[in-house]
Amino acid sequence: MTVATRRPRPAAITLTAGAEARIAELMAKAPADAIGVKLSTPRRGCSGLAYSVDYVNEASAFDERIETPGGIFFVDGGSILYMIGSRMDWVEDDFVAGFTFENPNAKGACGCGESFTV
């Protein structure tokens, strides 16, 4: 009997060096019970879905798990289909700082950039 070997599955979302560095900063000052940082897409805003990044203290079996140099990054299992092929970055300038997303699944966004639709 031949045992099939599986090639590693690529992550659903690509993190830039800036996003990984920000995750490391967040984990360095995380609450003691935090095991990582998690991206989810709750229903919110004018277009229906929003990006939300929060500390997580418990992993779900359905979450995508991405190892980064600064800690574990999770993508909510219920959000993964909305995020496949996306790129997440951390942008900071004189006026704004935050995670940004290039999401090929988003068909539209609200005018303020708070939410998106698929």
Side-chain angles (χ1 to χ4, degrees), residues 31-76:
D33 63 343
I35 62 167
V37 177
K38 185 174 184 175
L39 170 66
S40 60
T41 55
R43 298 206 176 278
R44 186 170 65 215
C46 335
S47 292
L49 298 170
Y51 302 107
S52 180
V53 179
D54 300 291
Y55 290 114
V56 63
N57 57 10
E58 179 178 313
S60 165
F62 299 105
D63 289 347
E64 174 87 7
R65 181 184 175 115
I66 301 170
E67 300 284 339
T68 75
I72 303 169
F73 180 72
F74 296 91
V75 180
D76 176 68

Side-chain angles (χ1 to χ4, degrees), residues 66-110:
I66 301 170
E67 300 284 339
T68 75
I72 303 169
F73 180 72
F74 296 91
V75 180
D76 176 68
S79 302
I80 204 75
L81 291 176
Y82 305 132
M83 301 306 300
I84 292 174
S86 295
R87 181 177 174 271
M88 180 173 146
D89 194 9
W90 175 260
V91 176
E92 194 169 341
D93 64 24
D94 291 341
F95 301 104
V96 69
F99 287 109
T100 61
F101 299 88
E102 292 175 19
N103 186 343
N105 306 296
K107 301 298 180 215
C110 66

